[in-house]
Amino acid sequence: MEFFYEWVGRLFEWIQDLGYFGIMLGLMMEVIPSEIVLAYGGYLVSEGDIHFLGAMIFGTAGGVLAQLFIYWIGRYGGRPFLEKYGKYILIRKHHIDYAEEWFNKYGTGVIFTARFVPIVRHAISIPAGISKMSVGRFTLLTTLAVIPWTALFLYLGYVLGDQWERIDEAAGPYIQEILLVALGVMIVYFIVKWMKSTKVRS
């Protein structure tokens, strides 16, 4: 465990040295949660080391690329591969179980909403890949979800400054609000989808 914390500390130094690219690569590696990487990025913004817009662009790119990587593993490696090696990117069997349940129940539209749900947000890309969901649709929905997530944690990291490690405590109320909005979007999506299917049948 001591080695892990030492390694994480070096990763943060690496992010600081590389700036924007450090944030993007830190998110792509999925070694530590994205909210921590982004909060640290916000802290770097508060220190004047990088600019918020650049951190947004590279943070969004890193978040999307990380999920595309998991999508492709699901598409070509399948569930057995992820059950065996997923622990190296912080994905466990119960994450996959929840993600598949959500995906099978709500369909491709859940790719957006699930990004704000703690248990399934990292693993929802797996059933999308296994089902061979359109890459374009997957990328669009993922990007639309990653943008507000990136902005939120960069902003909170900026506000917290050198206390950015308190990110979990600070983010709680905001995540609840975003989740409510996301659920509202999902409800509207399914209502529109239902209305279209009813119109086609008539």
Side-chain angles (χ1 to χ4, degrees):
M1 184 64 69
E2 183 178 346
F3 170 78
F4 174 76
Y5 285 116
E6 182 180 346
W7 193 89
V8 169
R10 290 180 179 176
L11 177 61
F12 283 127
E13 291 178 5
W14 179 58
I15 292 173
Q16 185 173 17
D17 290 339
L18 292 177
Y20 302 117
F21 285 100
I23 294 173
M24 184 175 72
L25 293 174
L27 292 168
M28 289 172 62
M29 290 172 65
E30 290 279 346
V31 176
I32 52 179
S34 62
E35 52 267 36
I36 295 178
V37 175
L38 292 168
Y40 187 71
Y43 161 68
L44 294 180
V45 173
S46 72
E47 290 291 293
D49 294 334
I50 57 177
H51 295 288
F52 190 88
L53 180 59
M56 267 296 302
I57 293 171
F58 282 82
T60 300
V64 173
L65 288 172
Q67 294 307 313
L68 276 170
F69 174 69
I70 297 173
Y71 166 89
W72 287 113
I73 292 177
R75 183 160 184 154
Y76 293 106
R79 178 168 179 145
F81 181 89
L82 281 156
E83 286 185 352
K84 187 174 182 180
Y85 298 106
K87 59 184 178 181
Y88 296 110
I89 51 175
L90 306 180
I91 293 177
R92 307 289 180 179
K93 184 179 180 298
H94 69 281
H95 295 147
I96 302 174
D97 291 338
Y98 275 112
E100 285 193 337
E101 181 180 345
W102 272 58
F103 192 85
N104 292 333
K105 186 174 182 180
Y106 300 112
T108 58
V110 79
I111 293 297
F112 173 82
T113 309
R115 297 294 176 201
F116 308 102
V117 181
I119 297 178
V120 299
R121 68 184 215 84
H122 290 300
I124 196 64
S125 303
I126 296 170
I130 293 174
S131 68
K132 294 182 171 52
M133 176 182 174
S134 163
V135 178
R137 181 175 175 78
F138 173 83
T139 302
L140 175 62
L141 291 173
T142 299
T143 302
L144 291 176
V146 167
I147 288 173
W149 185 265
T150 301
L152 171 63
F153 284 97
L154 283 174
Y155 170 73
L156 291 177
Y158 173 82
V159 172
L160 290 171
D162 58 8
Q163 297 186 41
W164 64 270
E165 293 177 345
R166 294 177 49 233
I167 189 62
D168 286 341
E169 175 187 342
Y174 293 94
I175 292 178
Q176 292 177 4
E177 291 179 8
I178 290 178
L179 180 57
L180 288 174
V181 173
L183 288 173
V185 171
M186 186 172 71
I187 291 171
V188 172
Y189 169 81
F190 285 114
I191 290 175
V192 172
K193 187 176 180 181
W194 175 78
M195 291 177 64
K196 285 184 178 180
S197 64
T198 303
K199 186 176 181 180
V200 170
R201 285 197 299 268
S202 61

